[in-house]
Amino acid sequence: MKALVISGGGSKGAFAGGVAQYLIENKKHDYDIFIGTSTGSLLVSHLALKNVEKIKSVYTSVTQDAIFSSCPFLIKKKKGGIETIKINHFNVLKNIFKGSKTFGESHQLKSLIKETFTEVEFTNLKNSNKDVVVTVSNLSLNQVEYKSIKDFDYEEFCEWIWISCNYIPFMSLIKKNGCEYADGGLGNMIPIEQAIKMGATKVDAIILQTEVSQLNRMPSLNPFSLLTNMFSFMLDRIEAQNIKIGKFVASNQNAIINFYYTPTVLTTNSLIFEKEKMSKWWQSGFDYAKYKNEQVSPLETE
């Protein structure tokens, strides 16, 4: 069995889309399992249906307003094109007065998911031989959960996709089935191990960060930038651990993993969604996958 696994990474998901487009359309890879975390969960259903152009149009035109119903930060551009964020005091205070447990809300994203992934497409995918799985973090039970399209109806599965993307405390915290849920990346950024447990013997894993650390983060300018830097550090450590575990499990199960890392640092804040940059990242992902497959062997096994 063959699996496509896509890590979390916010706006950097555009790069993953470009890589997947090349693998599906040019290399004709036919996957049995699609597993995504956070931004990866937004991609996998469309990729399983081979609706590449449709999801490309979403990723290359999305804006902050399409994600946040209440955005907790303001984007400020400095000289040299460097982007920083600062607190949107009005929105944050409004959320606090409403009794929200987070600084921002992302109900617009839930609407976008349902607009772009229709019930007819859901039914076709559920009745196919493909398995599509999204990763969520159950904060109440302190565990990672994997939600398969085979186990839910349309409304529930769309909600699980949305939950997988909710990067708290900047986005919505969801209470469901008596538990609090949030972004799957808080527990598993790149679920290679789960793909192998499901029977995959060959895994294409798209990692939305560089293979070797190339980043020296800018000094924190305010509490929000400190918070994003802290979370980025934690998620990078989680992802590195997930990759090590995935390699270990693969070596014991005789599975092959093909890794696709970003060749350069795309952004230091993946919560900033800019159409122009994301269009370039999509093309960059496609070109990188093409180069990797046509110039060197992509097989990386341990």
Side-chain angles (χ1 to χ4, degrees):
M1 294 179 73
K2 189 178 291 187
L4 177 66
V5 183
I6 303 177
S7 80
S11 58
K12 294 184 290 184
F15 179 90
V19 173
Q21 180 180 15
Y22 178 83
L23 296 176
I24 292 169
E25 293 186 348
N26 293 62
K27 294 294 288 183
K28 307 299 181 185
H29 286 191
D30 189 20
Y31 300 102
D32 306 288
I33 301 167
F34 295 77
I35 305 183
T37 291
S38 197
T39 195
S41 72
L42 294 174
L43 288 160
V44 287
S45 295
H46 297 276
L47 296 174
L49 288 164
K50 298 186 178 179
N51 286 341
V52 176
E53 287 302 322
K54 182 177 182 180
I55 192 61
K56 179 181 179 181
S57 70
V58 175
Y59 265 81
T60 55
S61 63
V62 72
T63 63
Q64 301 293 120
D65 291 339
I67 305 294
F68 293 96
S69 48
S70 177
C71 187
F73 54 82
L74 299 169
I75 301 167
K76 184 178 180 182
K77 286 194 175 183
K78 293 187 145 192
K79 290 182 180 179
I82 297 172
E83 294 162 329
T84 61
I85 61 171
K86 62 179 183 178
I87 300 172
N88 185 328
H89 292 89
F90 177 78
N91 282 353
V92 170
L93 289 173
K94 185 171 69 173
N95 263 26
I96 292 171
F97 288 138
K98 282 167 51 182
S100 174
K101 297 177 183 177
T102 57
F103 299 131
E105 298 289 349
S106 60
H107 295 283
Q108 288 295 99
L109 176 59
K110 185 178 181 181
S111 298
L112 180 64
I113 290 167
K114 296 181 73 173
E115 287 171 14
T116 55
F117 181 46
T118 68
E119 192 164 359
V120 171
E121 290 172 328
F122 167 84
T123 301
N124 290 339
L125 191 51
K126 186 171 183 175
N127 293 335
S128 73
N129 60 353
K130 311 291 185 186
D131 199 356
V132 177
V133 179
V134 300
T135 310
V136 297
S137 297
N138 187 326
L139 303 183
S140 300
L141 298 181
N142 196 34
Q143 64 187 23
V144 181
E145 296 176 4
Y146 304 95
K147 306 299 182 180
S148 168
I149 194 171
K150 305 293 185 186
D151 299 329
F152 301 99
D153 63 22
Y154 173 70
E155 294 290 337
E156 287 179 304
F157 191 65
C158 285
E159 188 168 38
W160 286 123
I161 295 173
W162 176 51
I163 289 171
S164 179
C165 303
N166 275 314
Y167 186 51
I168 58 169
F170 305 103
M171 300 170 80
S172 301
L173 176 69
I174 312 303
K175 190 163 187 179
K176 189 174 176 66
N177 303 328
C179 296
E180 290 184 331
Y181 283 94
D183 194 304
L186 296 175
N188 195 339
M189 278 289 283
I190 178 70
I192 298 168
E193 180 186 12
Q194 180 64 18
I196 295 172
K197 282 184 177 179
M198 292 174 66
T201 54
K202 185 174 181 181
V203 178
D204 286 338
I206 304 176
I207 317 291
L208 294 174
Q209 68 171 17
T210 56
E211 185 171 6
V212 178
S213 179
Q214 300 176 13
L215 189 62
N216 184 10
R217 297 190 192 281
M218 296 290 291
S220 301
L221 302 176
N222 54 59
F224 260 37
S225 66
L226 172 60
L227 204 53
T228 56
N229 282 349
M230 182 187 73
F231 270 94
S232 294
F233 174 82
M234 292 167 59
L235 294 179
D236 285 351
R237 297 303 92 207
I238 291 169
E239 189 164 66
Q241 199 68 18
N242 296 156
I243 292 168
K244 287 180 182 178
I245 293 170
K247 287 180 176 180
F248 176 77
V249 173
S251 67
N252 281 280
Q253 298 295 325
N254 295 317
I256 296 171
I257 310 174
N258 303 326
F259 287 103
Y260 293 85
Y261 292 89
T262 62
T264 60
V265 176
L266 300 179
T267 180
T268 56
N269 193 328
S270 58
L271 286 176
I272 298 174
F273 298 86
E274 287 192 2
K275 294 185 285 186
E276 185 178 344
K277 285 187 176 180
M278 293 174 73
S279 296
K280 290 180 180 177
W281 294 343
W282 189 289
Q283 187 60 47
S284 175
F286 183 91
D287 293 341
Y288 174 71
K290 181 179 180 181
Y291 172 81
K292 185 175 174 68
N293 278 274
E294 294 182 4
Q295 300 299 321
V296 294
S297 171
L299 298 182
E300 297 178 33
T301 60
E302 291 257 336

